[in-house]
Amino acid sequence: MAPPTVTLTTLRGDVREQMEVSANEVRFTSDDAREPSLPAVAIAWTGAFLTPALESGLAGVPAGDHAENPRYRHALAIAAPWAPRKATWDSGTEGPDVRARRETLQRIGGLRANEARRELAAAKKAGEDGDVDAALVHAKRGLRVLGNMYWEPDTRDESGVRLEGGRAHELDGRHAEALAVFTRVLDARLHLFDDRTRG
């Protein structure tokens, strides 16, 4: 019997994220062709037995195509004996039950948030060691890995404006100032994520 595979693709504006989960592996990719400042990432985590979490977390996602907005949508494909289905839906019309199940997959095992925390720590360490360019790479990778997981429509968030300032610093060659902005934004978004997932 083939192992179950669940693929969730999320499009928010020009950012495309995909989580592909099988019984013992998670693959995550994120890219935005219009934003060269935050590089695309591709990560794979192995060794976790995830089938029970998938079964309990995603069994209730209804099949069908309920997406009208092509720029803000989710697409789920489940290839498993216990729940084969495909579904698409809009971010704006996502109900709380489906949102909870979608977030179960996006956050599975805390892998993405933990990866973002590792990148933040590496950015701070490289900055302390005087390697600002390496620190910038870590900070921007952390922002890309965390992606939009910290955010929902009711989230009060002005960090995008601050990121624009960081990008301007970087383009002007003021890398230390850019690093300060990127690390503060990543830290703030991780706190927002923690606040959302704590309760």
Side-chain angles (χ1 to χ4, degrees):
M1 180 184 299
T5 301
V6 177
T7 303
L8 175 70
T9 303
T10 294
L11 185 69
R12 281 183 172 156
D14 295 304
V15 179
R16 181 183 182 274
E17 296 182 350
Q18 182 168 296
M19 294 281 290
E20 183 177 302
V21 184
S22 61
N24 62 355
E25 184 175 48
V26 180
R27 292 182 177 275
F28 168 73
T29 58
S30 176
D31 65 87
D32 178 356
R34 296 181 51 173
E35 182 45 80
S37 179
L38 298 181
V41 298
I43 304 169
W45 298 277
T46 59
F49 186 71
L50 301 169
T51 303
L54 297 180
E55 291 179 6
S56 62
L58 298 168
V61 175
D65 187 347
H66 307 287
E68 297 176 3
N69 188 335
R71 289 178 54 78
Y72 295 92
R73 65 187 292 162
H74 306 282
L76 177 70
I78 301 176
W82 39 267
R85 65 170 64 82
K86 289 186 177 181
T88 59
W89 65 95
D90 281 353
S91 297
T93 59
E94 183 178 50
D97 290 343
V98 173
R99 182 172 105 180
R101 290 182 171 91
R102 186 254 305 165
E103 289 186 337
T104 295
L105 181 57
Q106 288 180 315
R107 300 198 299 254
I108 201 158
L111 294 171
R112 285 175 59 187
N114 290 340
E115 189 83 22
R117 287 188 181 93
R118 281 193 290 270
E119 293 292 349
L120 178 59
K124 290 179 177 178
K125 175 72 166 62
E128 291 167 2
D129 293 344
D131 193 346
V132 174
D133 290 337
L136 273 173
V137 170
H138 286 297
K140 291 189 290 185
R141 190 171 187 272
L143 286 163
R144 174 63 78 207
V145 173
L146 184 64
N148 286 319
M149 280 206 314
Y150 75 96
W151 183 90
E152 284 301 329
D154 58 353
T155 302
R156 291 195 57 175
D157 172 38
E158 298 176 356
S159 61
V161 175
R162 295 201 301 269
L163 274 185
E164 291 297 325
R167 292 183 190 111
H169 288 320
E170 187 178 18
L171 289 172
D172 289 344
R174 293 177 289 162
H175 289 183
E177 291 89 342
L179 175 63
V181 172
F182 286 131
T183 54
R184 280 198 301 268
V185 169
L186 179 53
D187 190 52
R189 288 182 173 183
L190 281 164
H191 277 96
L192 284 170
F193 172 78
D194 290 339
D195 288 345
R196 285 191 55 239
T197 57
R198 190 174 290 123

